Amino acid sequence: MLTARFHPAIAELPAATWDALRANANPFVSHAFLHRLERTGCIRPDWGWQAHHLGLYEDDRLVAAAPLYLKGNSHGEFVFDWSWAGAWERAGGDYYPKLLNAVPYSPVPGPRLLAGRDARAPHLRQALAEAMRAETERLGLSSVHANFLEDAELDAFGGDWLSRSDVQFHWHNHGYRGFDDFLATLKAKKRKNIRHERAQVQASSLDIRMRDGASLDKDAWRQIHALYAGTFDAKGNHAALTRGFFEALGDLGDAVQVACAMDGERIEAMALFLQSDTALYGRYWGARVEVPGLHFELCYYRGIEHAIARGLECFEPGAQGEHKLARGFVPVRTHSRHYLAHPQFRRAVREALIHEAQAMDDYAAELATHAPYAGGCR
């Protein structure tokens, strides 16, 4: 007998059990990462985030879980439903709050339905999806959304759940011995452009270093956060992650990596990464100097070098960016599922998604014709 309970803080759920339920070691759904978001002021109702984490219990024992939030807006999600919200509100409904099964501010595919790895996992994932749908109905909400799902989780969302997909650009490690070994697989023009970009950075006076989180002191994290916030400010966006959160990342040790461009002890530019035992994830960038090629060096090439050196299988540098294709990253589909409570609204959105899906298929097919590798997509 499974019992669903909802928690206003992840601290109410046992960390060791939560982490053991992950299908893999994706750091973004670790208890430590999510707890740091909450305790450092990044998850706030006035910013549209309120924790409502789901636990499934069997005789008071946690057997499955899902990171879940009540959302008062659609900021920080990266699966855009602004048009749905506008249509529903024009019809006289309240789109917000809604439920969201996702990692805040992180467009990173990974486990969303934490159900372990044994034979019961498919059944438990279905139970989690049904519990989220039932909670949407119980609270009288417009919808529930599950973003950046893993392929193994998709079957848990059947019936009235709507499907969407998008494209990201990921790099895959094919057993490269070093960066030059990777370069040798690219088309000649792509290889030449990358070497030119890296040479521009090498000609600068900056000292480029990859640092792990534990090696950075409080002042370094202050500088890194300032660079992150400056990037958001320059684009007129809100930097939702606090300085306290950045400082707390240092506690995650080797799971956090920062590519730093140094001028003496001053960090002039940085790119922040998280990593698991199999993958590197690019997250944030910031710079106070303009050096040709520096963004590509820190955000992409240093990440590729790091992944090769550590024997990581893939490198996911973040959302969007067709320019990544020319630098060795290839298109990969991402997936989300959506339940809209009102039947007529759901039917209308389903029809729109049919056309969106065809356009996305055409886009992915077009991208495949521009593969940067000499032998096609890798």
Side-chain angles (χ1 to χ4, degrees), residues 95-334:
Y95 194 74
Y96 305 107
K98 63 181 184 179
L99 275 177
L100 177 67
N101 172 217
V103 176
Y105 315 116
S106 300
V108 178
R112 297 295 181 264
L113 306 177
L114 314 186
R117 304 175 181 86
D118 62 21
R120 293 187 66 195
H123 167 69
L124 291 173
R125 288 194 289 261
Q126 289 178 351
L128 287 167
E130 175 56 26
M132 291 190 293
R133 189 203 60 76
E135 183 71 351
T136 301
E137 302 282 2
R138 186 185 75 81
L139 295 176
L141 305 180
S142 69
S143 54
V144 57
H145 310 260
N147 292 348
F148 297 102
L149 295 157
E150 292 201 324
D151 289 348
E153 298 173 320
L154 300 180
D155 288 343
F157 301 90
D160 290 328
W161 289 83
L162 307 181
S163 302
R164 293 185 85 182
S165 71
D166 204 340
V167 171
Q168 287 186 352
F169 298 88
H170 297 174
W171 177 88
H172 300 284
N173 189 354
H174 295 281
Y176 300 119
R177 297 183 299 272
F179 194 86
D180 285 342
D181 193 24
F182 152 66
L183 279 184
T185 66
L186 298 177
K187 294 176 180 177
K189 184 177 180 180
K190 309 298 185 188
R191 187 164 58 244
K192 179 181 178 181
N193 288 343
I194 290 174
R195 285 177 171 152
H196 174 68
E197 288 172 343
R198 301 203 78 183
Q200 289 178 308
V201 178
Q202 291 168 1
S204 76
S205 60
L206 296 173
D207 177 19
I208 312 296
R209 309 176 193 172
M210 184 72 87
R211 305 277 299 276
D212 68 78
S215 71
L216 297 165
D217 60 19
K218 194 168 185 177
D219 181 64
W221 281 116
R222 177 191 61 77
Q223 294 185 62
I224 290 167
H225 180 264
L227 291 167
Y228 150 80
T231 298
F232 277 74
D233 291 344
K235 296 180 179 180
N237 295 326
H238 172 63
L241 300 181
T242 64
R243 194 166 104 188
F245 174 74
F246 271 65
E247 292 173 358
L249 285 176
D251 298 337
L252 300 180
D254 194 54
V256 177
Q257 301 287 327
V258 185
C260 298
M262 309 290 297
D263 183 2
E265 294 302 312
R266 181 180 169 90
I267 303 175
E268 299 289 359
M270 69 85 197
L272 187 147
F273 308 84
L274 271 74
Q275 68 178 15
S276 70
D277 54 347
T278 60
L280 183 69
Y281 305 92
R283 293 305 302 119
Y284 304 107
W285 141 268
R288 63 176 109 248
V289 295
E290 292 189 12
V291 174
L294 185 59
H295 174 265
F296 303 128
E297 179 68 24
L298 294 184
C299 294
Y300 305 142
Y301 305 142
R302 291 290 165 151
I304 290 172
E305 282 190 337
H306 180 82
I308 293 172
R310 294 293 183 93
L312 303 178
E313 296 173 6
C314 65
F315 170 26
E316 302 179 15
Q320 304 168 340
E322 294 177 5
H323 60 279
K324 296 168 185 170
L325 192 64
R327 293 166 177 88
F329 298 84
V330 296
V332 173
R333 300 300 284 265
T334 61

Side-chain angles (χ1 to χ4, degrees), residues 71-75 77 79-98 142-143 145 164 338 340 345 349:
K71 285 292 272 105
N73 55 44
S74 293
H75 292 293
E77 298 178 19
V79 177
F80 303 110
D81 63 345
W82 301 105
S83 61
W84 302 359
W88 188 237
E89 290 173 357
R90 285 193 298 273
D94 294 321
Y95 194 74
Y96 305 107
K98 63 181 184 179
S142 69
S143 54
H145 310 260
R164 293 185 85 182
H338 310 266
L340 306 178
F345 185 38
V349 172

